[in-house]
Protein backbone atom coordinates (compact mmCIF):
# COMPACT_ATOMS: atom_id res chain seq x y z
CA UNK A 1 0.00 0.00 0.00
CA UNK A 2 1.01 3.62 -0.49
CA UNK A 3 2.42 4.60 2.87
CA UNK A 4 4.38 7.52 1.38
CA UNK A 5 3.25 10.06 -1.24
CA UNK A 6 4.17 13.47 -2.60
CA UNK A 7 0.95 15.35 -3.32
CA UNK A 8 0.10 17.93 -6.00
CA UNK A 9 1.29 20.75 -3.70
CA UNK A 10 4.70 19.04 -3.25
CA UNK A 11 3.92 18.12 0.34
CA UNK A 12 5.20 14.79 1.66
CA UNK A 13 2.82 12.53 3.57
CA UNK A 14 3.72 9.22 5.20
CA UNK A 15 1.62 6.76 7.19
CA UNK A 16 3.17 4.99 10.19
CA UNK A 17 2.18 3.07 13.32
CA UNK A 18 2.77 6.29 15.27
CA UNK A 19 0.46 8.44 13.13
CA UNK A 20 0.29 10.32 9.83
CA UNK A 21 3.16 12.72 9.16
CA UNK A 22 3.09 15.79 6.91
CA UNK A 23 6.25 17.55 5.73
CA UNK A 24 5.64 21.02 4.30
CA UNK A 25 7.88 24.09 4.05
CA UNK A 26 10.60 22.60 6.27
CA UNK A 27 8.04 21.78 8.96
CA UNK A 28 6.82 18.34 10.06
CA UNK A 29 3.33 17.89 11.51
CA UNK A 30 2.05 14.71 13.16
CA UNK A 31 -1.62 13.70 13.10
CA UNK A 32 -2.30 10.95 15.66
CA UNK A 33 -4.90 9.81 18.18
CA UNK A 34 -4.51 13.09 20.09
CA UNK A 35 -6.30 14.74 17.15
CA UNK A 36 -10.09 14.67 17.69
CA UNK A 37 -10.77 13.07 14.27
CA UNK A 38 -8.22 10.27 14.61
CA UNK A 39 -9.49 7.16 16.48
CA UNK A 40 -5.99 5.64 16.50
CA UNK A 41 -2.38 6.45 15.61
CA UNK A 42 -1.98 3.25 13.59
CA UNK A 43 -2.15 4.38 9.96
CA UNK A 44 -2.04 2.11 6.91
CA UNK A 45 -1.90 4.32 3.79
CA UNK A 46 -2.40 7.81 2.40
CA UNK A 47 -3.49 9.04 -1.05
CA UNK A 48 -4.77 12.10 -2.95
CA UNK A 49 -7.72 12.58 -5.30
CA UNK A 50 -7.87 14.72 -8.45
CA UNK A 51 -9.14 17.71 -6.44
CA UNK A 52 -6.16 17.68 -4.11
CA UNK A 53 -8.00 16.23 -1.11
CA UNK A 54 -6.04 13.81 1.09
CA UNK A 55 -7.34 10.48 2.37
CA UNK A 56 -5.79 8.24 5.01
CA UNK A 57 -6.74 4.80 6.29
CA UNK A 58 -6.43 3.51 9.85
CA UNK A 59 -5.77 0.00 11.15
CA UNK A 60 -8.24 -0.67 13.96
CA UNK A 61 -7.27 -1.25 17.55
CA UNK A 62 -8.72 -4.34 19.23
CA UNK A 63 -12.51 -4.38 19.02
CA UNK A 64 -12.76 -1.26 16.86
CA UNK A 65 -13.44 -0.56 13.18
CA UNK A 66 -11.01 0.89 10.65
CA UNK A 67 -11.91 4.26 9.14
CA UNK A 68 -10.97 6.37 6.15
CA UNK A 69 -10.25 9.99 7.04
CA UNK A 70 -10.54 12.86 4.56
CA UNK A 71 -8.60 16.14 4.67
CA UNK A 72 -9.93 19.12 2.70
CA UNK A 73 -6.91 21.29 3.39
CA UNK A 74 -8.28 22.58 6.68
CA UNK A 75 -10.22 19.87 8.51
CA UNK A 76 -10.12 16.09 8.91
CA UNK A 77 -13.46 14.24 8.80
CA UNK A 78 -14.49 10.58 8.92
CA UNK A 79 -15.27 9.60 5.32
CA UNK A 80 -16.02 5.87 5.65
CA UNK A 81 -16.05 3.34 8.47
CA UNK A 82 -15.68 -0.43 8.10
CA UNK A 83 -18.76 -2.60 8.58
CA UNK A 84 -17.56 -4.77 11.47
CA UNK A 85 -14.96 -4.60 14.28
CA UNK A 86 -11.55 -5.83 13.21
CA UNK A 87 -12.04 -4.81 9.57
CA UNK A 88 -10.38 -1.94 7.75
CA UNK A 89 -9.84 -0.49 4.29
CA UNK A 90 -6.40 -1.48 3.03
CA UNK A 91 -6.23 0.73 -0.08
CA UNK A 92 -8.17 3.46 -1.91
CA UNK A 93 -7.89 4.22 -5.63
CA UNK A 94 -9.85 6.60 -7.85
CA UNK A 95 -11.14 5.84 -11.34
CA UNK A 96 -12.82 8.97 -12.67
CA UNK A 97 -15.91 9.61 -10.54
CA UNK A 98 -15.68 6.08 -9.16
CA UNK A 99 -13.53 4.99 -6.24
CA UNK A 100 -12.54 1.53 -5.01
CA UNK A 101 -11.90 0.54 -1.40
CA UNK A 102 -10.07 -2.71 -0.67
CA UNK A 103 -10.68 -4.38 2.67
CA UNK A 104 -8.92 -6.65 5.14
CA UNK A 105 -10.16 -8.43 8.22
CA UNK A 106 -8.40 -10.33 10.98
CA UNK A 107 -7.44 -13.15 10.63
CA UNK A 108 -5.93 -12.07 7.32
CA UNK A 109 -5.88 -15.46 5.60
CA UNK A 110 -9.36 -16.67 6.51
CA UNK A 111 -11.48 -13.54 6.55
CA UNK A 112 -12.15 -10.52 4.40
CA UNK A 113 -14.98 -8.30 3.28
CA UNK A 114 -13.88 -8.04 -0.36
CA UNK A 115 -13.91 -4.94 -2.51
CA UNK A 116 -16.13 -1.87 -2.36
CA UNK A 117 -17.11 0.45 -5.22
CA UNK A 118 -18.40 3.95 -4.60
CA UNK A 119 -19.37 7.08 -6.52
CA UNK A 120 -17.89 10.42 -5.49
CA UNK A 121 -21.33 11.99 -5.09
CA UNK A 122 -22.71 9.18 -2.88
CA UNK A 123 -21.95 7.46 0.41
CA UNK A 124 -23.35 4.16 -0.86
CA UNK A 125 -20.80 1.38 -1.34
CA UNK A 126 -21.37 -1.68 -3.52
CA UNK A 127 -19.62 -4.77 -2.21
CA UNK A 128 -17.87 -7.36 -4.41
CA UNK A 129 -16.78 -10.64 -2.86
CA UNK A 130 -16.07 -14.24 -3.83
CA UNK A 131 -19.78 -15.12 -3.60
CA UNK A 132 -21.20 -12.46 -5.91
CA UNK A 133 -18.35 -11.77 -8.35
CA UNK A 134 -15.17 -13.15 -9.86
CA UNK A 135 -13.00 -11.68 -7.11
CA UNK A 136 -10.38 -14.33 -6.32
CA UNK A 137 -10.14 -13.62 -2.57
CA UNK A 138 -11.92 -11.54 0.06
CA UNK A 139 -8.74 -10.27 1.72
CA UNK A 140 -7.69 -7.54 -0.73
CA UNK A 141 -4.29 -6.15 0.22
CA UNK A 142 -3.38 -3.82 -2.64
CA UNK A 143 -4.76 -2.60 -5.97
CA UNK A 144 -3.84 -0.37 -8.89
CA UNK A 145 -5.33 0.92 -12.16
CA UNK A 146 -3.25 0.62 -15.33
CA UNK A 147 -3.11 2.73 -18.49
CA UNK A 148 -5.97 0.75 -20.04
CA UNK A 149 -8.23 1.54 -17.06
CA UNK A 150 -8.06 -2.06 -15.84
CA UNK A 151 -8.26 -2.57 -12.08
CA UNK A 152 -5.64 -5.00 -10.71
CA UNK A 153 -6.11 -6.52 -7.26
CA UNK A 154 -3.59 -8.26 -5.04
CA UNK A 155 -5.19 -10.61 -2.52
CA UNK A 156 -4.09 -13.35 -0.13
CA UNK A 157 -5.55 -15.80 -2.65
CA UNK A 158 -3.80 -14.54 -5.79
CA UNK A 159 -3.90 -11.78 -8.38
CA UNK A 160 -6.97 -10.80 -10.37
CA UNK A 161 -8.09 -8.04 -12.71
CA UNK A 162 -11.41 -6.38 -13.52
CA UNK A 163 -11.94 -4.46 -16.77
CA UNK A 164 -15.41 -3.22 -15.88
CA UNK A 165 -17.23 -6.33 -17.07
CA UNK A 166 -14.95 -9.36 -16.78
CA UNK A 167 -12.91 -10.75 -13.89
CA UNK A 168 -9.69 -12.67 -14.58
CA UNK A 169 -7.65 -14.64 -12.04
CA UNK A 170 -3.90 -15.24 -12.21
CA UNK A 171 -2.31 -17.89 -9.97
CA UNK A 172 1.32 -19.00 -9.78
CA UNK A 173 2.00 -22.55 -8.55
CA UNK A 174 5.59 -21.58 -7.73
CA UNK A 175 4.66 -18.90 -5.17
CA UNK A 176 2.42 -18.48 -2.13
CA UNK A 177 0.00 -16.23 -4.13
CA UNK A 178 -0.14 -13.95 -1.08
CA UNK A 179 0.15 -10.63 -2.93
CA UNK A 180 1.35 -7.83 -0.64
CA UNK A 181 1.96 -5.05 -3.15
CA UNK A 182 1.40 -4.39 -6.87
CA UNK A 183 2.36 -1.82 -9.51
CA UNK A 184 0.45 -1.81 -12.79
CA UNK A 185 1.61 1.32 -14.62
CA UNK A 186 4.27 -0.57 -16.61
CA UNK A 187 2.79 -0.90 -20.14
CA UNK A 188 3.80 -4.56 -20.40
CA UNK A 189 3.92 -6.01 -16.89
CA UNK A 190 2.21 -6.07 -13.52
CA UNK A 191 4.83 -6.19 -10.76
CA UNK A 192 4.07 -7.88 -7.45
CA UNK A 193 5.70 -8.37 -4.07
CA UNK A 194 4.68 -11.88 -3.01
CA UNK A 195 4.86 -13.02 0.61
CA UNK A 196 7.72 -15.51 1.16
CA UNK A 197 8.41 -15.54 -2.60
CA UNK A 198 10.07 -12.22 -3.46
CA UNK A 199 9.31 -10.08 -6.50
CA UNK A 200 7.24 -11.41 -9.41
CA UNK A 201 5.91 -9.98 -12.63
CA UNK A 202 3.05 -10.91 -14.96
CA UNK A 203 3.00 -10.05 -18.65
CA UNK A 204 -0.28 -8.29 -19.32
CA UNK A 205 -2.64 -9.89 -21.82
CA UNK A 206 -3.31 -7.91 -24.96
CA UNK A 207 -6.67 -6.16 -25.02
Amino acid sequence: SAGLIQDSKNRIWWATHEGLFLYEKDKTTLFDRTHPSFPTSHMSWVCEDSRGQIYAGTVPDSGTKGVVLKYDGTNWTKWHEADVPGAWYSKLVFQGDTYWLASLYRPYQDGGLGLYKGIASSKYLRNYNTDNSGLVGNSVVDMAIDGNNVLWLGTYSGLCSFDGSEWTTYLDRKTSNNIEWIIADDPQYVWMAVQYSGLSRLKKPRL
Side-chain angles (χ1 to χ4, degrees):
S1 298
L4 172 68
I5 65 165
Q6 181 174 1
D7 69 16
S8 57
K9 297 180 180 179
N10 293 319
R11 300 175 298 187
I12 305 298
W13 299 84
W14 63 101
T16 76
H17 292 182
E18 286 76 43
L20 180 67
F21 289 85
L22 164 63
Y23 179 75
E24 179 182 22
K25 298 179 180 178
D26 297 325
K27 178 183 177 182
T28 301
T29 302
L30 171 63
F31 299 97
D32 60 14
R33 67 186 314 150
T34 63
H35 189 283
S37 296
F38 280 63
T40 178
S41 297
H42 193 170
M43 309 303 297
S44 176
W45 51 265
V46 58
C47 71
E48 181 185 22
D49 68 13
S50 60
R51 295 174 294 174
Q53 298 183 115
I54 301 298
Y55 301 79
T58 73
V59 177
D61 297 325
S62 178
T64 65
K65 302 176 182 180
V67 302
V68 177
L69 300 165
K70 178 180 176 181
Y71 183 62
D72 62 7
T74 303
N75 299 308
W76 286 99
T77 55
K78 183 190 297 183
W79 192 53
H80 279 296
E81 183 175 51
D83 293 333
V84 296
W88 73 95
Y89 297 116
S90 53
K91 186 69 179 286
L92 167 66
V93 297
F94 294 92
Q95 192 176 34
D97 290 333
T98 299
Y99 61 89
W100 298 90
L101 279 164
S103 76
L104 282 175
Y105 179 76
R106 295 187 177 98
Y108 306 107
Q109 300 296 115
D110 302 319
L113 301 178
L115 177 70
Y116 293 86
K117 178 182 180 181
I119 306 298
S121 58
S122 171
K123 277 286 187 179
Y124 171 76
L125 292 177
R126 177 181 177 181
N127 178 240
Y128 294 88
N129 55 53
T130 55
D131 292 328
N132 64 19
S133 72
L135 184 65
V136 66
N138 286 329
S139 289
V140 184
V141 186
D142 200 9
M143 57 184 172
I145 296 172
D146 70 13
N148 293 313
N149 218 28
V150 175
L151 178 67
W152 293 87
L153 301 128
T155 79
Y156 281 138
S157 302
L159 177 74
C160 69
S161 66
F162 182 56
D163 64 7
S165 59
E166 183 177 349
W167 298 83
T168 305
T169 296
Y170 304 89
L171 299 177
D172 187 348
R173 295 181 180 178
K174 299 178 181 179
T175 74
S176 67
N177 286 302
N178 293 348
I179 312 299
E180 296 280 0
W181 166 84
I182 58 175
I183 286 182
D185 53 4
D186 185 308
Q188 295 188 44
Y189 297 98
V190 178
W191 292 87
M192 298 161 280
V194 186
Q195 191 177 46
Y196 310 123
S197 304
L199 184 66
S200 297
R201 71 178 186 181
L202 168 75
K203 187 173 179 61
K204 294 180 182 177
R206 292 185 178 181
L207 298 180

